[in-house]
Amino acid sequence: MKITLVGSGYVGLVTGACLAEMGNHVVCLDVDAGKIALLQGGGVPIHEPGLEPLIQRNAAAGRLQFTTDTDAAVLHGTVIFIAVGTPPGEDGSADLRYVTQAARSIGQRMTDYKLIVDKSTVPVGTGDAVEATVRAALTERGVDVAFSVVSNPEFLKEGAAIEDFMKPDRVVVGSDDERAIHLMRALYAPFIRNRDRLLVMDRRSAELTKYAANAMLATRISFMNELANLAERIGADIELVRQGIGSDPRIGTQFLYPGCGYGGSCFPKDVKALMHTGQQSGLQLRVLGAVEAANERQKSVLVDKVVARFGADLTGRRFALWGLAFKPGTDDMREAPSIAVIQGLTERGASVAAYDPVAMAEARRHLADVKSLDYASSSDAALAGADALIIVTEWKEFRSPDFDALKATLRQPVIFDGRNLFDPRLVREMGLEYHGIGRG
């Protein structure tokens, strides 16, 4: 098929590259000329395992192209995915200006049937608004061209997005248009050959499904963080509790790992947006309000532990910090817990030496105004002269450090483990002081 992606960010690039891999001819459109030039030159503006070779391979084969030419992009695609950003507004609502602009651009240029697919995470009712916007643009032109609007939310995990797209748990299609449903089945058929995972529902239910999924996962994380804080006070070990409840098939093991809070581009934004949708409908979603509040509190838990150990005045103290990205496998710093940790430490007079395998450049952009923050060349380099080590992101390379070397390098042998990477007993037997999350 001929496919156009409007928006060449995280979702657009992953979607476009994976569809091209299956033989489709894909054009990725973006208004950012610098980004398009980078992609045309073989570069990739984001870090996602496996994405760069996938893009390069399909670009070399002629199946994947990048452009700023809206006319050509709209003309090209029979299927046009809208994959633009929907940043949060001050009231928590999703900003749909880019979605609306994309829909209007399509309506102003289309000359034959188009299947318009909402891939962006959008509030319930956005499909109706996109349809009305396209129809209004056609009316202004005085033409009548057939089109369909489908909701097809993405369920990609940063750090595993290629695998998620190539082997989806489910493909949600929101439409009651048989022509559109047929095209979507054909488009996704190569990805679900061993079992039909395509779920057809009405457009509004599809839009709500995306928000509901992320809100549920965020709820599990905040619940476990609350339990971890309780376990710490009453002398229980949350890791053993996690195993005990995770063995129940009704609960399962996913997203039961406590830590120093969730971040990223999805959970914080989507929880707020769903709460805003509830408010607009006259319904207060109290559980989600508690989820958000618990997560904001959890982002300060590591700083609270440091203060309890070293005192409120951290002047003259230096801390090594491992992990800046909100999760391993990505360079995404949006809403990252590391930001709250670094700000909390430096505001109390401390200096921080931070290291992350891939997120250093993004961190410099997000933390440009933070003083007393240095970026180390390696995890070991960050330890030099530090009073303690703080672990914020669970990168694999942090999981089995040389504890003897770590003890010898730190000014004080203290570890604050925000992701419970280590066995407390083992670390203490190595002569280090250990502070985990809910480890009793």
Side-chain angles (χ1 to χ4, degrees):
M1 290 189 197
K2 290 185 177 181
I3 300 167
T4 293
L5 271 295
V6 180
S8 298
Y10 182 83
V11 173
L13 288 177
V14 171
T15 301
C18 290
L19 289 173
E21 181 75 357
M22 294 302 172
N24 297 290
H25 185 192
V26 179
V27 170
C28 290
L29 170 71
D30 204 281
V31 297
D32 186 337
K35 179 190 293 186
I36 293 300
L38 175 66
L39 289 161
Q40 289 173 337
V44 178
I46 59 173
H47 176 84
E48 177 62 37
L51 181 59
E52 186 169 354
L54 189 66
I55 287 176
Q56 292 174 346
R57 179 168 65 250
N58 284 281
R63 293 189 297 267
L64 182 60
Q65 297 174 303
F66 306 98
T67 186
T68 58
D69 187 338
T70 304
D71 292 342
V74 172
L75 179 64
H76 168 81
T78 299
V79 181
I80 302 180
F81 284 87
I82 297 178
V84 296
T86 54
E90 291 184 3
D91 60 355
S93 63
D95 186 342
L96 297 177
R97 78 180 80 173
Y98 304 118
V99 173
T100 302
Q101 288 172 4
R104 185 177 299 110
S105 293
I106 296 167
Q108 289 170 340
R109 292 166 173 83
M110 57 186 287
T111 57
D112 57 2
Y113 174 80
K114 302 293 181 184
L115 171 54
I116 302 168
V117 183
D118 280 334
K119 199 69 173 170
S120 301
T121 301
V122 293
V124 175
T126 300
D128 297 343
V130 167
E131 182 174 330
T133 299
V134 174
R135 198 171 303 283
L138 292 173
T139 300
E140 289 175 5
R141 293 168 55 199
V143 297
D144 184 13
V145 183
F147 69 97
S148 307
V149 176
V150 168
S151 174
N152 175 222
E154 54 86 12
F155 298 98
L156 306 176
K157 298 186 296 290
E158 290 193 48
I162 304 300
E163 178 79 6
D164 287 344
F165 199 101
M166 292 294 192
K167 298 178 181 179
D169 296 319
R170 76 284 205 196
V171 176
V172 172
V173 173
S175 177
D176 57 4
D177 184 319
E178 288 301 322
R179 182 178 184 181
I181 294 169
H182 176 75
L183 280 172
M184 294 297 286
R185 284 192 182 279
L187 185 63
Y188 279 104
F191 302 96
I192 53 175
R193 293 187 66 185
N194 62 336
R195 195 182 76 186
D196 187 2
R197 293 181 171 86
L198 193 138
L199 305 176
V200 178
M201 59 187 71
D202 64 275
R203 205 158 55 195
R204 286 178 171 249
S205 295
E207 291 165 340
L208 181 56
T209 295
K210 168 63 177 181
Y211 278 129
N214 279 351
M216 174 63 79
L217 297 177
T219 299
R220 287 171 69 99
I221 294 172
S222 280
F223 176 73
M224 287 304 294
N225 284 336
E226 295 257 272
L227 281 186
N229 297 337
L230 175 62
E232 203 163 280
R233 295 199 177 194
I234 63 178
D237 187 342
I238 194 62
E239 175 62 17
L240 301 178
V241 175
R242 182 189 68 78
Q243 295 172 17
I245 64 176
S247 61
D248 186 331
R250 295 171 302 174
I251 297 173
T253 60
Q254 297 294 313
F255 287 83
L256 291 185
Y257 291 87
C260 49
Y262 61 74
S265 63
C266 295
F267 288 4
K269 175 174 70 71
D270 293 352
V271 167
K272 288 183 176 70
L274 191 52
M275 290 169 60
H276 181 76
T277 297
Q279 291 168 359
Q280 285 187 314
S281 303
L283 183 65
Q284 183 180 357
L285 301 181
R286 293 182 176 85
V287 170
L288 292 187
V291 167
E292 182 185 34
N295 188 61
E296 289 305 306
R297 286 196 304 271
Q298 199 68 16
K299 288 183 178 181
S300 68
V301 70
L302 284 174
V303 175
D304 292 342
K305 289 176 180 292
V306 170
V307 168
R309 173 62 174 78
F310 290 100
D313 184 0
L314 299 176
T315 302
R317 298 289 186 184
R318 185 171 178 83
F319 297 96
L321 187 140
W322 286 1
L324 290 162
F326 87 93
K327 63 178 287 188
T330 180
D331 63 350
D332 197 340
M333 286 290 299
R334 287 171 287 185
E335 302 277 351
S338 63
I339 296 174
V341 173
I342 290 169
Q343 289 174 337
L345 294 173
T346 56
E347 286 169 0
R348 289 169 172 81
S351 63
V352 177
Y355 170 75
D356 190 284
V358 304
M360 302 283 263
E362 279 295 300
R364 284 187 172 91
R365 189 168 66 85
H366 282 265
L367 295 164
D369 296 332
V370 178
K371 298 179 180 179
S372 302
L373 172 60
D374 300 319
Y375 296 93
S377 58
S378 67
S379 56
D380 289 339
L383 300 173
D387 289 285
L389 167 63
I390 302 171
I391 300 172
V392 182
T393 312
E394 63 274 32
W395 287 96
K396 289 181 180 179
E397 66 180 75
F398 300 156
R399 294 185 178 184
S400 298
D402 183 337
F403 287 110
D404 288 330
L406 197 154
K407 180 182 176 182
T409 305
L410 288 172
R411 289 167 61 182
Q412 299 189 48
V414 183
I415 298 176
F416 297 94
D417 185 356
R419 297 299 176 184
N420 288 347
L421 293 186
F422 309 137
D423 181 339
R425 179 180 296 180
L426 172 64
V427 176
R428 289 167 183 149
E429 288 175 352
M430 298 295 290
L432 291 109
E433 183 180 327
Y434 181 82
H435 302 270
I437 305 294
R439 299 308 303 267

